[in-house]
């Protein structure tokens, strides 16, 4: 049998000749301490296999691990170690011997009581699947004698011929023997680069892959026919661990198990519980004494440590260990964080400008001047009384910190910053594609990613079976829009419901704000009445923050469920649809409260004597006399900072630590039951099994994309947003790095040449930011009304009188019945005329309380500013996009040079073949002449001799 040949070189223990179990000796009275002493004096077999990194023979490297649950006999562990005699009647014909390794599964013919049907079914599926893997060329070894009770491990090794075959199928670019010189800068640029390298040397990671290279190996898609082109001097390291695990994973996805209603690949087997986990191994330990040097340890020291937060990331080593997709994520995060530095500096300058000019701001000075004696209308019906405008002095002064002419400049700057960031990332991405040999990757990518998902194939099979049952002849089936229509309808209704739920929660918070403001206004203490607006705003924002964080997790699960019922064909389609739904729901969830404050609060209030009411009892809330921009700033800052702090500290640090602690307690409880097991060092695959599974990059990207929205969409109201984002990202990079290196199982390396749909989302947010900031400046801030007053209504060309110009007058005798203040003499004098913020005719006008001409003038100026600002900034952004080339010139030259060199290599090879062919023809011709000149032999042997003249070996 093929299995016997493959494992004929295994030690005696692996062939089924089991040594007497120490635990069985212990059961008949043998002293446990003496057995432990004997074991300690003998050679440790786990050290030969480097504690799980290799097979038991210590030669074949473990490339992948399959984990499964099994039930053991109640008679003890020794029963599971006995050789089986009745396997042939149960096992598949391709699996008539157990897999090599420690421990053999119990079968139906043993004294073990018959397990339930589901366990038998899972075991049969595993046997068939593992047999198919052996037929595909993989080598397997089982281990059930582990410290984790009830858990079995199947170790997978891909031999050289399988690696070569799959590398050719996947079109993996591998380094050839040909090396060439990378073009270096000359003259002034060379001096500048050398100076920059010396300056940045302390912040460079001490990693060999990060050092600048002057030579590069020419890469070419691997081919077994052209192995002589590749550098095969060290076959063990030619395919690194990342590539080996990727190849094995592709085989696992392609190999199926048919002992079910439909063929099942590894994804379906995991979903159905046949296997509980599947993962590649980490390279080794990252901490402890006598730890051998490995890439994981190096990453932990130079990347996944908070002490190196000031250093560049070793992106090439990250790519080497985790693959291109994860490497691109951290490269993008690093570029984004670097680009936040200039944005943060400009934001700090804008904020400091507001602080420096707050005492020179005439409108805020007029509001704070008590000599003006401006009496404002009540903020609520009955319980609220008249109030002095000077009581809002602190709010007015604080508003100037963010509502000043510099914020307009900062909005333009951030729009151009977003365009520059996108162009800078495209150029960085092209450099990485060149360094990582990903140029010309489109064909390979589609060939791999177009493989149908197991769930899709199952649905197609069910559809074909239904049609066969109806005796219909059908061609190759596929899912049409009619098959997916119920899922599409569910998606549409579900998304609409979730968006409506978000709006309903925001509306509930609005009701809370209005009712709480009315309740606090009844307070008898003056301090309580003066802090109503701050108290209501702060508590409402905290409620919004808690709701946003909770709904974020809920919407993530709902988006995944809605995508699953759609049954997308490929993994790429599944990921893109999931990202779109999750982003849509989380975007609405995070920004709806901010949109309300920016564009709706205070817009539909009405006027004194004719207010707008909700449910005929709650009056719509108004903006402060200084405008809603300050409240928008509070809302944005609390949600942004709170979301980052809570999600980073609680979800990304606290919850994984808690899960790890719970697993530690469970293992400690198990170890206390078995001292001998506790004394053994755990295998690598056991340690990795206790780590958290990798859940994909979507949560990581989503967190940063939402933050990018906070930085760009409403930056006119919060110039310090880039600074807080920068501080968060410095921690986020090391936090994510530590999580990937120490807390997660090693993910399967995935090839990718870009960040996918996330780039389009970033571009969309950048375009939307221009429009939103134009509206924020025009309608939320007082920038346009000030300009209109300064150039149209000011008598002396200054801002004196602006506050009075923006206030309208109201005669208190025009209050509706039951809405006038209960205590009209609260200020100590009788009020006849109160003021409110609006552009309306005075009570002594013929058209009293109608909208005045000033309102239309300001509205026209606002709309004109939106149009001019939007088109100007869009044009400047497109100009930046056009003027900066997507591909750096030196990279373009190097790619062209690679193509020329590759053509030269093949031309030389063809010339060598032609020369060899001509040499062969010459020899053949001379040999034929010699045969013709030779004396004739017997006729019956002549033909044989002639043929022998033409039969000599040729090795090309």
């Amino acid at each position: 049998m093929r299995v016997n040949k493959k494992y004929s070189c295994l030690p005696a223990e692996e062939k089924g000749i089991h040594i007497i179990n120490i635990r069985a000796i212990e059961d008949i009275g043998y002293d446990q301490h003496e057995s432990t002493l004997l074991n300690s004096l003998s050679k440790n077999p786990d050290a030969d296999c480097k504690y799980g990194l290799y097979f038991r023979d210590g030669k074949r490297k473990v490339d992948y691990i399959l984990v499964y649950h099994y039930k053991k006999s109640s008679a003890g562990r020794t029963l599971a170690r006995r050789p089986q005699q009745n396997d042939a009647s149960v096992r598949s014909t391709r699996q008539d011997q157990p897999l090599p390794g420690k421990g053999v599964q119990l079968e139906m013919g043993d004294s073990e009581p018959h397990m339930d049907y589901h366990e038998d079914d899972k075991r049969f599926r595993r046997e068939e699947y593992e047999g198919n893997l052996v037929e595909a060329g993989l080598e397997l070894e089982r281990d059930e004698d582990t410290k984790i009770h009830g858990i079995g491990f199947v170790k997978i090794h891909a031999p050289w011929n399988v690696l070569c075959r799959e590398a050719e199928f996947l079109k993996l670019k591998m380094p050839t023997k040909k090396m060439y010189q990378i073009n270096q800068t000359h003259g002034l640029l060379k001096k500048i680069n050398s100076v920059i390298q010396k300056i940045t040397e302390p912040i460079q990671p001490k990693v060999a892959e990060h050092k600048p290279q002057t030579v590069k190996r020419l890469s070419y898609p691997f081919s077994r026919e052209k192995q002589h082109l590749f550098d095969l001097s060290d076959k063990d390291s030619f395919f690194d661990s990342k590539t080996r695990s990727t190849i094995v994973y592709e085989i696992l996805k392609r190999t199926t198990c048919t002992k079910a209603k439909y063929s099942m690949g590894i994804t379906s087997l995991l979903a159905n519980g046949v296997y509980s986990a599947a993962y590649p191994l980490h390279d080794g330990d990252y901490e402890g004494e006598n730890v051998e040097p490995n890439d994981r340890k190096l990453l932990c020291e130079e990347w996944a440590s908070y002490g190196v937060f000031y250093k560049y990331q070793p992106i090439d080593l990250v790519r080497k260990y985790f693959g291109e997709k994860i490497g691109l994520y951290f490269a993008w995060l690093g570029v984004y964080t670097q680009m936040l530095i200039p944005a943060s500096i400009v934001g700090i300058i804008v904020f400091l400008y507001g602080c420096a000019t707050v005492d020179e701001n005439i409108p805020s000075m007029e509001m704070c001047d008590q000599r003006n004696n401006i009496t404002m209308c009540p903020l609520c019906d009955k319980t609220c009384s008249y109030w002095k405008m000077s009581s809002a002095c602190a709010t007015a002064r604080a508003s100037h910190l963010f509502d000043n002419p510099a914020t307009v400049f900062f909005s333009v700057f951030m729009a151009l910053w977003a365009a520059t960031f996108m162009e800078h990332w495209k150029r960085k991405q092209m450099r990485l594609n060149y360094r990582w040999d990903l140029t010309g990757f489109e064909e390979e990518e589609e060939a791999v990613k177009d493989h149908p998902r197991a769930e899709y194939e199952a649905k197609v099979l069910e559809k074909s079976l239904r049609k066969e049952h109806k005796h219909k002849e059908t061609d190759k089936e596929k899912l049409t829009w009619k098959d997916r229509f119920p899922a599409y309808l569910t998606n549409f209704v579900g998304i609409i419901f979730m968006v409506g739920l978000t709006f309903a929660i925001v509306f509930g918070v609005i009701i809370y704000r209005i009712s709480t403001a009315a309740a606090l206004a009844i307070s008898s203490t003056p301090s309580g009445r003066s802090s109503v607006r701050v108290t209501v705003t702060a508590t409402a924002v905290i409620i919004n923050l808690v709701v946003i964080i909770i709904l974020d997790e809920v919407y993530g699960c709902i988006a995944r469920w809605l995508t699953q019922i759609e049954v997308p064909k490929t993994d790429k389609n599944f990921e893109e649809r999931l990202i779109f739904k999750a982003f849509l729901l989380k975007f609405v969830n995070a920004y709806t409260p901010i949109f309300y404050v920016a564009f709706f609060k205070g817009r539909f209030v009405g006027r004194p004597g004719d207010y707008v009411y909700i449910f005929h009892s709650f009056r719509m809330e108004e903006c402060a006399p200084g405008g809603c921009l300050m409240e928008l700033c509070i809302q944005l800052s609390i949600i942004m900072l709170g979301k980052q702090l809570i999600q980073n500290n609680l979800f990304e640090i606290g919850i994984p630590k808690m899960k790890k602690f719970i697993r530690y307690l469970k293992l400690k409880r198990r170890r206390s039951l078995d001292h001998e097991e506790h004394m053994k060092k755990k295998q690598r695959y056991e340690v990795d099994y206790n780590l958290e599974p990798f859940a994909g990059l979507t949560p990581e990207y989503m967190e940063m994309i939402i933050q990018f929205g906070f930085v760009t969409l409403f930056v006119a109201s919060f110039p310090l947003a880039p600074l807080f984002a920068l501080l968060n990202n410095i921690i986020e990079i090391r936090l994510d790095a530590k999580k990937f290196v120490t807390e997660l199982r090693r993910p399967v390396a995935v090839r990718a040449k870009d960040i996918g749909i996330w780039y389009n989302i970033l571009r969309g947010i950048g375009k939307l930011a221009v429009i939103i900031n134009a509206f924020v400046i025009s309608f939320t801030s007082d920038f346009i009304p000030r300009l209109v007053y300064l150039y149209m209504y000011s008598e002396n060309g200054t801002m004196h009188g602006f506050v009075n110009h923006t206030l309208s007058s109201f005669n208190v005798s025009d209050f509706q019945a039951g809405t006038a203040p209960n205590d009209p003499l609260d200020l100590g004098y009788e009020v006849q005329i109160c003021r409110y913020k609006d552009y309306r005719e005075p009570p002594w006008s013929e058209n009293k309380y109608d909208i005045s001409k000033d309102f239309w003038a300001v509205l026209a100026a606002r709309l004109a500013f939106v149009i001019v600002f939007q088109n100007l900034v869009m044009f400047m952004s497109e100009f930046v996009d056009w003027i900066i080339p997507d591909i750096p010139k030196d990279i373009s030259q190097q790619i062209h040079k690679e193509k020329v060199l590759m053509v030269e290599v093949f031309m030389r090879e063809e010339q060598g073949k032609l020369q060899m062919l001509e040499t062969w023809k010459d020899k053949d011709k001379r040999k034929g002449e010699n045969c013709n000149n030779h004396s004739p032999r017997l006729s019956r042997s002549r033909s044989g001799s002639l043929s022998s003249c033409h039969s000599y070996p040729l090795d090309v």
Side-chain angles (χ1 to χ4, degrees), residues 183 194 224 250 254 318 343 383 429-430 442 486 527 537 623 643 683 704 723 727 787-788 911 914 924 931 933 956:
N183 294 338
S194 62
R224 286 173 289 181
E250 291 297 329
R254 197 169 62 240
V318 174
T383 55
Q429 192 170 252
M430 282 305 303
E442 291 83 4
S527 60
T537 301
C623 289
K643 196 169 183 294
Q683 304 286 339
M704 290 295 105
L723 174 63
L727 298 176
L787 286 181
V788 171
Q911 290 174 0
L914 289 174
D924 184 52
C931 291
N933 295 333
V956 180

Side-chain angles (χ1 to χ4, degrees), residues 279-290:
Y279 51 88
L281 293 179
H282 280 291
D283 280 357
D285 293 326
Y286 59 90
E287 60 182 0
E289 298 180 358
N290 302 324

Side-chain angles (χ1 to χ4, degrees), residues 55-72:
F55 275 25
R56 302 299 298 180
D57 57 10
K59 298 178 181 179
R60 291 171 293 170
K61 184 177 177 62
V62 176
D63 298 319
Y64 219 87
I65 291 291
L66 300 179
V67 188
Y68 59 90
H69 291 272
Y70 68 94
K71 291 185 177 180
K72 283 195 172 183

Side-chain angles (χ1 to χ4, degrees), residues 700-718:
E700 313 298 336
Y701 271 115
M702 190 68 68
E703 181 184 348
M704 290 295 105
I705 296 296
I706 295 297
Q707 185 205 83
F708 182 77
F710 283 125
V711 169
T712 55
L713 291 179
F714 297 95
V715 74
S717 63
F718 190 39

Side-chain angles (χ1 to χ4, degrees), residues 32-194:
Q32 179 180 356
H33 298 288
E34 294 183 17
S35 68
T36 306
L37 179 62
L38 289 174
N39 286 334
S40 63
L41 293 175
S42 62
K43 187 176 180 181
N44 186 3
D46 292 337
D48 294 336
C49 64
K50 293 188 177 180
Y51 296 98
L53 289 174
Y54 288 82
F55 275 25
R56 302 299 298 180
D57 57 10
K59 298 178 181 179
R60 291 171 293 170
K61 184 177 177 62
V62 176
D63 298 319
Y64 219 87
I65 291 291
L66 300 179
V67 188
Y68 59 90
H69 291 272
Y70 68 94
K71 291 185 177 180
K72 283 195 172 183
S73 142
S74 59
R77 290 166 56 97
T78 56
L79 187 57
R81 298 285 298 271
R82 295 175 185 171
Q84 305 300 319
Q85 303 296 332
N86 301 324
D87 287 353
S89 61
V90 179
R91 293 185 181 271
S92 169
T93 56
R94 291 171 297 185
Q95 190 85 359
D96 56 352
Q97 279 197 0
L99 289 177
K102 294 190 294 182
V104 180
Q105 282 190 336
L106 287 170
E107 304 297 337
M108 292 171 58
D110 294 318
S111 59
E112 167 78 11
H114 192 281
M115 291 184 289
D116 60 81
Y117 167 77
H118 294 291
E119 291 298 323
D120 283 342
D121 183 58
K122 290 179 182 179
R123 179 161 46 85
F124 293 153
R125 292 186 191 180
R126 285 197 296 269
E127 290 173 357
E128 184 197 3
Y129 184 71
E130 290 163 10
N132 293 338
L133 292 179
V134 172
E135 282 193 349
L138 298 178
E139 299 176 2
L140 312 182
E141 185 177 81
R142 191 190 307 278
D143 185 5
E144 292 180 357
D145 185 18
T146 63
K147 300 182 72 173
I148 308 176
H149 297 287
I151 299 293
F153 297 89
V154 176
K155 296 174 278 188
I156 302 177
H157 169 77
W160 173 256
N161 61 329
V162 175
L163 293 173
C164 294
R165 180 191 72 203
E166 296 299 319
E168 182 175 359
F169 171 72
L170 297 174
K171 300 180 181 178
L172 296 179
K173 277 191 173 182
M174 304 303 295
T176 63
K177 297 176 182 178
K178 177 68 176 177
M179 300 182 70
Y180 67 94
Q181 194 79 16
I182 298 177
N183 294 338
Q184 300 295 323
T185 56
H186 302 283
L188 181 62
L189 287 177
K190 184 177 182 180
K191 294 180 180 179
I192 294 174
N193 288 337
S194 62

Side-chain angles (χ1 to χ4, degrees), residues 891-901:
I891 297 299
S892 179
Q893 293 174 350
Q894 298 288 9
I895 294 174
H896 178 70
K897 185 177 180 179
E898 277 195 352
K899 293 180 180 179
V900 172
L901 290 174

Side-chain angles (χ1 to χ4, degrees), residues 296-470:
R296 188 188 187 193
K297 185 175 185 295
L298 188 58
L299 282 172
C300 186
E301 294 172 352
E302 295 294 328
W303 183 52
S305 173
Y306 295 109
V308 295
F309 73 92
Y310 59 91
K311 289 188 177 183
Y312 285 100
Q313 299 182 84
I315 292 298
D316 292 320
L317 184 59
V318 174
R319 172 253 179 180
K320 177 185 175 184
Y321 193 79
F322 291 109
E324 287 80 5
K325 192 170 185 178
I326 294 177
L328 281 173
Y329 163 70
F330 282 103
W332 173 84
L333 184 56
V335 170
Y336 172 47
T337 304
Q338 290 176 7
M339 289 294 293
L340 283 173
I341 296 175
S344 303
I345 294 174
V346 177
I348 293 172
I349 293 173
V350 170
F351 178 73
L352 293 178
Y353 171 81
C355 295
T357 58
V358 67
D359 292 330
E360 301 173 2
N361 184 36
I362 295 176
S364 62
M365 292 171 61
E366 288 183 348
M367 291 182 63
C368 295
D369 191 357
Q370 297 184 1
R371 293 174 297 177
N372 290 332
N373 197 25
I374 300 177
T375 303
M376 303 296 294
C377 295
L379 296 175
C380 61
D381 294 340
K382 292 185 180 181
T383 55
C384 299
S385 185
Y386 305 105
W387 55 285
K388 291 284 189 179
M389 175 173 272
S390 58
S391 63
C393 176
T395 305
R397 290 173 63 86
S399 296
H400 179 73
L401 301 178
F402 307 99
D403 188 6
N404 56 70
T407 57
V408 180
F409 159 76
F410 190 57
S411 300
V412 177
F413 171 81
M414 288 303 295
L416 298 179
W417 172 87
T420 307
F421 162 60
M422 301 304 295
E423 292 304 310
H424 179 46
W425 166 244
K426 282 196 291 187
R427 291 170 64 84
K428 177 70 173 178
Q429 192 170 252
M430 282 305 303
R431 290 189 181 277
L432 294 177
N433 286 341
Y434 166 71
R435 268 167 38 197
W436 297 349
D437 299 317
L438 294 173
T439 53
F441 177 61
E442 291 83 4
E443 297 82 5
E444 311 163 35
E445 187 179 24
E446 295 303 321
V448 175
K449 290 189 176 181
D450 278 347
H451 185 74
R453 298 170 63 245
E455 293 82 356
Y456 178 85
E457 291 181 335
K459 285 288 184 182
V460 169
L461 182 61
E462 289 179 5
K463 181 180 178 181
S464 60
L465 290 176
R466 284 198 304 268
K467 290 196 173 183
E468 287 179 5
H469 183 69
K470 295 179 181 179

Side-chain angles (χ1 to χ4, degrees), residues 237-263:
S237 62
F238 182 73
F239 294 105
D240 57 14
S241 59
K242 165 185 70 72
T243 307
R244 297 176 70 99
S245 62
T246 302
I247 288 174
V248 173
Y249 181 66
E250 291 297 329
I251 298 175
L252 292 177
K253 287 197 303 182
R254 197 169 62 240
T255 306
T256 58
C257 167
T258 58
K259 285 187 177 179
K261 296 180 180 179
Y262 53 89
S263 60

